[in-house]
Amino acid sequence: MATEANDYLELTAMMTAIPATILKILKVTSPTSLPPPIEGINFNSEHIVLVILDNFGLFEYTYYKPEFLIQACDALVLLDTQNPYTDSVLKQVFYVTEQFSGFHLPSVLIENGKSVAMVGRQEELNIIAHNEYSIPSTDDMNVYINAVKALNRHDFLSLHFIDFEKLYQQYAFQPPAETLKQLIRRTDKWLKVLFMQAKPGSVFIILSSHGKHQIDLQIKGKAAQWRLASLPIAIFSKKP
């Protein structure tokens, strides 16, 4: 792995630990019913940018080695979950459970005086956000443009990119190598720009899912084995 030159944490946690971890970073007291935060993540910050990447997990991170994400990584967390697909991941991150048990991360943040904005497709925003702080976006370019506009104006900003999922669905998990590399470089570049423009001390959390729907693997050999063993990940990076 290219990150071996960097000093970063390698951790494991449940996906349902993400909400309490976000609250802890923003110095908001968690409800006692929440699963505890990820042990070892001890950042404090006034600003969090949560980036959700559909169908970008441990396999893509280690196999394609996005330059900025590797260089900026302060902690790499392997996330255990019984359901790694997008809708379930969104519910685990923003509600902890799939049954909407009363906890809602954005509402808790707002109740504690934090400003919230959430950027993504309306389909996913309908699951996790209320209209007053949602910013519907039609595609990844539109998500990026709205992210640039919203950056540094909110204590908690979430962004949801779906182009990896769309590409894998389009090509039955066998996209042209150069097309996939271009998409990875583009997304990595976008995240680097956002990171560089963010206020000092901002924490970025790059969170992966296994995509909207399960995809039948068409790849073979070692890559197929890696993909089958792939876990969702969270990459934590704090801007100096």
Side-chain angles (χ1 to χ4, degrees), residues 133-185:
Y133 51 79
S134 67
I135 305 175
S137 304
T138 54
D139 52 34
D140 278 11
M141 175 63 78
N142 198 216
V143 170
Y144 173 66
I145 291 170
N146 284 323
V148 172
K149 294 177 182 178
L151 188 68
N152 297 325
R153 299 177 59 189
H154 303 278
D155 305 307
F156 177 78
L157 172 64
S158 76
L159 315 170
H160 191 165
F161 293 99
I162 63 166
D163 275 359
F164 291 106
E165 166 77 359
K166 289 167 64 177
L167 188 67
Y168 282 149
Q169 290 282 2
Q170 180 181 353
Y171 289 99
F173 215 86
Q174 296 188 97
E178 189 57 35
T179 302
L180 183 55
K181 288 178 183 177
Q182 288 176 1
L183 177 58
I184 290 171
R185 284 197 296 266

Side-chain angles (χ1 to χ4, degrees), residues 103-123:
F103 172 83
H104 182 225
L105 177 62
S107 297
V108 171
L109 291 172
I110 290 171
E111 289 166 3
N112 282 273
K114 304 298 183 182
S115 173
V116 171
M118 302 175 71
V119 184
R121 291 192 311 168
Q122 188 66 62
E123 181 179 355

Side-chain angles (χ1 to χ4, degrees), residues 29-171:
T29 302
S30 294
T32 56
S33 58
L34 253 61
I38 299 170
E39 188 173 347
I41 299 294
N42 297 315
F43 304 122
N44 286 321
S45 180
E46 299 298 324
H47 302 279
I48 287 179
V49 179
L50 172 67
V51 180
I52 301 167
L53 299 178
D54 275 12
N55 237 318
F56 187 90
L58 181 63
F59 167 69
E60 287 77 14
Y61 181 76
T62 56
Y63 192 79
Y64 295 104
K65 298 178 172 59
E67 183 178 352
F68 165 71
L69 289 181
I70 287 173
Q71 292 177 349
C73 178
D74 291 317
L76 175 65
V77 185
L78 305 183
L79 295 171
D80 191 9
T81 173
Q82 291 185 345
N83 189 338
Y85 295 97
T86 301
D87 286 2
S88 176
V89 167
L90 292 177
K91 291 171 184 175
Q92 291 172 73
V93 170
F94 292 96
Y95 296 93
V96 179
T97 70
E98 297 208 38
Q99 287 73 40
F100 306 148
S101 61
F103 172 83
H104 182 225
L105 177 62
S107 297
V108 171
L109 291 172
I110 290 171
E111 289 166 3
N112 282 273
K114 304 298 183 182
S115 173
V116 171
M118 302 175 71
V119 184
R121 291 192 311 168
Q122 188 66 62
E123 181 179 355
E124 282 76 40
L125 290 174
N126 287 340
I127 298 174
I128 58 177
H130 298 314
N131 289 335
E132 60 266 27
Y133 51 79
S134 67
I135 305 175
S137 304
T138 54
D139 52 34
D140 278 11
M141 175 63 78
N142 198 216
V143 170
Y144 173 66
I145 291 170
N146 284 323
V148 172
K149 294 177 182 178
L151 188 68
N152 297 325
R153 299 177 59 189
H154 303 278
D155 305 307
F156 177 78
L157 172 64
S158 76
L159 315 170
H160 191 165
F161 293 99
I162 63 166
D163 275 359
F164 291 106
E165 166 77 359
K166 289 167 64 177
L167 188 67
Y168 282 149
Q169 290 282 2
Q170 180 181 353
Y171 289 99

